[in-house]
Amino acid sequence: MSTISESLFGIIENNISPVAARLSSQRHVVAIKDGFISSMPFLIVGSFMLLFAHPPFSADSQWAIAKWWLGMVARHSEQIMMPYNMTMGIMAVYIASAISYNLAQSYKMNGFMAACLSLMSFLLVAAPQANGSLPVGSLGGEGIFTAILVALYTTELMHFLQKHNIGIKLPEQVPPKIRQSFDLLIPILAIFLTLFPLSLFMQSQFGMLLPQAIMAIFAPIISASDSLPAVLIAVLLCHLLWFAGIHGAVIVGGILQAFWLTNLGINQQALNSGAPITQVFIEPFWQFFIVIGGSGSTMGLVFLYLRSSAAHLRSIGKLGLVPSMFNINEPIIFGSPVVMNPLLFIPFITAPMVNAIIAWIATRTDLVNHVVSLAPWTTPGPIGAAWSTGWDFRAIILVVVLIGVSTLIYYPFFKMYERQLLAQEEESLQPAESH
């Protein structure tokens, strides 16, 4: 067993960790991740307003609060939905600008000007004016992959031109803000000579906008990403990285964010139109059903630590209880430690994977609602699960069950680790007693 574990740890440390470390610091990956993070406040508020527009009551409910809520939504539906339409409904606009800003900052360029260029370019291909109005159908979930590609392309184009000193040069006496604005003239012209013809070609030859074409290309990948095998692979990769001491959630979450938001957009459109809600693998599903208490689903382990006979584990449990309630478990991962600890390796991997299987089945069989809203990842698990599923309180019961399951998975390994620590504590006391 020790030989197998040593070989596995060697593979993780020598092969997986270096690749993951380079990926986590790659400027384009970082820019995409930071761009999504920057957009989250808009998306969370917009998701909340969508839930407010769809009360969790039946239309014939006689409860006073339900009747008032349903009546208000019926009378003021357009006004209530406006915050959603201006946030989640056009989320790709924020994402395109935010990614471009962060990528430009990494190149020490003017982030604001890059964001403006990206915004203009994205609207050019995703919302061409027709009959005096801008269509918004491709500015939401459908436009996320286009927003990413446009942001990267426009910023790299801007960087290339600046690196090779291609642009309009103004005298030093010209105020800096004016010189900065003129720096965009050549990049804007380049966009109109590259992206715009491509967009026109797609419209004339295929009758679709560029985001629709890109979504058609990505459709098989999106479909594959919303499957149980994809979930289990993501969970396994995340926790292998964590076990090697690398923040796996940041790397895997950054890669999956575009798929999560696309799936969320699909579910929200279905909710608005009254169609069946189909997508399962969305960020709140990960946060509140799979990794309850943080990566490794360590909430159950915290409860075990609190009643441990080993002083070290008991103190770590007390230290990590409150953070774990808000899905922050670095005190547990590094204090136990879980990282590179052979005794905790199996449950650290297994608990979230079992949670994923149970939660997937429960969602697919409609034992709990599908995710239709974003909740802050620091929301305590049961509350976040109910919030993100449209206030389905069956989700709270599922979270409690999953915590119990993860506790059972951790228990035998926790006892082995506890016995090891107790033996070490006794050894440390023996010299003092003999003296």
Side-chain angles (χ1 to χ4, degrees):
M1 177 67 182
S2 60
T3 303
I4 296 175
S5 63
E6 288 175 4
S7 301
L8 179 60
F9 299 158
I11 292 172
I12 294 174
E13 187 173 5
N14 299 324
N15 298 335
I16 298 178
S17 295
V19 174
R22 287 195 296 270
L23 181 63
S24 65
S25 60
Q26 205 279 330
R27 71 169 74 242
H28 298 90
V29 174
V30 172
I32 293 172
K33 173 179 66 70
D34 291 344
F36 281 121
I37 292 173
S38 302
S39 305
M40 276 300 146
F42 301 97
L43 309 186
I44 290 172
V45 172
S47 293
F48 181 81
M49 293 306 299
L50 178 67
L51 291 185
F52 190 77
H54 293 272
F57 310 109
S58 62
D60 57 354
S61 176
Q62 298 302 308
W63 189 32
I65 294 179
K67 292 174 67 176
W68 169 81
W69 192 343
L70 289 164
M72 184 179 63
V73 169
R75 291 190 302 272
H76 305 290
S77 177
E78 289 188 6
Q79 292 84 350
I80 293 173
M81 284 295 292
M82 186 60 69
Y84 166 81
N85 293 331
M86 294 296 103
T87 51
M88 282 296 304
I90 58 171
M91 64 172 133
V93 170
Y94 302 105
I95 291 169
S97 303
I99 291 175
S100 184
Y101 176 89
N102 285 285
L103 182 56
Q105 290 285 90
S106 74
Y107 282 126
K108 308 300 182 185
M109 298 193 307
N110 188 309
F112 176 75
M113 302 305 288
C116 290
L117 179 65
S118 178
L119 176 59
M120 183 277 295
S121 304
F122 177 66
L123 292 176
L124 184 70
V125 301
Q129 184 177 7
N131 301 320
S133 62
L134 297 180
V136 298
S138 296
L139 302 185
E142 186 179 82
I144 289 177
F145 289 100
T146 304
I148 295 172
L149 295 174
V150 167
L152 298 180
Y153 172 70
T154 55
T155 310
E156 286 296 336
L157 175 63
M158 188 175 171
H159 177 246
F160 174 84
L161 295 173
Q162 180 175 306
K163 181 179 178 180
H164 292 85
N165 295 316
I166 301 173
I168 298 175
K169 303 301 179 183
L170 296 178
E172 290 296 327
Q173 293 80 3
V174 176
K177 293 297 180 183
I178 296 178
R179 279 192 282 112
Q180 289 173 6
S181 66
F182 271 78
D183 287 342
L184 276 187
L185 288 177
I186 300 301
I188 291 173
L189 179 61
I191 293 299
F192 279 112
L193 292 175
T194 55
L195 275 184
F196 189 45
L198 176 61
S199 178
L200 293 177
F201 174 78
M202 295 303 301
Q203 293 176 60
S204 63
Q205 296 298 315
F206 301 99
M208 61 176 63
L209 297 176
L210 192 59
Q212 297 168 342
I214 291 175
M215 274 296 288
I217 295 172
F218 276 93
I221 303 175
I222 295 170
S223 177
S225 71
D226 191 48
S227 64
L228 183 56
V231 174
L232 295 178
I233 291 172
V235 172
L236 178 62
L237 178 59
C238 171
H239 290 81
L240 285 176
L241 293 176
W242 257 124
F243 201 74
I246 297 173
H247 203 307
V250 170
I251 297 174
V252 175
I255 295 171
L256 292 174
Q257 197 65 244
F259 297 96
W260 284 341
L261 287 177
T262 300
N263 288 336
L264 178 64
I266 293 171
N267 280 2
Q268 291 184 339
Q269 288 178 1
L271 178 64
N272 277 328
S273 62
I277 299 173
T278 58
Q279 307 304 104
V280 176
F281 196 28
I282 303 172
E283 185 173 11
F285 181 84
W286 175 283
Q287 295 290 356
F288 304 123
F289 292 126
I290 297 178
V291 291
I292 308 166
S295 295
S297 192
T298 53
M299 180 58 75
L301 185 61
V302 172
F303 292 150
L304 293 173
Y305 279 2
L306 289 173
R307 300 181 61 84
S308 175
S309 300
H312 171 70
L313 296 183
R314 197 164 57 249
S315 63
I316 293 298
K318 293 176 182 178
L319 180 66
L321 176 61
V322 174
S324 291
M325 292 173 62
F326 298 93
N327 302 314
I328 301 169
N329 69 340
E330 277 79 359
I332 302 300
I333 287 181
F334 296 108
S336 297
V338 173
V339 172
M340 299 304 287
N341 185 335
L343 288 177
L344 295 178
F345 172 72
I346 293 177
F348 185 72
I349 299 288
T350 304
M353 294 188 77
V354 172
N355 282 357
I357 294 171
I358 295 173
W360 179 274
I361 294 172
T363 304
R364 280 297 188 200
T365 57
D366 294 324
L367 291 177
V368 296
N369 289 346
H370 288 66
V371 171
V372 293
S373 176
L374 284 179
W377 66 271
T378 51
T379 307
I383 299 173
W387 178 346
S388 60
T389 55
W391 302 115
D392 181 2
F393 289 93
R394 295 174 300 176
I396 296 176
I397 299 174
L398 178 58
V399 170
V400 173
V401 170
L402 294 175
I403 292 175
V405 170
S406 64
T407 303
L408 291 175
I409 292 172
Y410 272 107
Y411 182 76
F413 301 92
F414 152 75
K415 293 302 291 184
M416 287 189 288
Y417 189 37
E418 182 185 54
R419 285 195 293 270
Q420 183 184 88
L421 291 180
L422 287 173
Q424 293 175 359
E425 289 177 9
E426 290 178 4
E427 288 179 7
S428 66
L429 292 174
Q430 283 177 358
E433 290 174 354
S434 60
H435 178 73

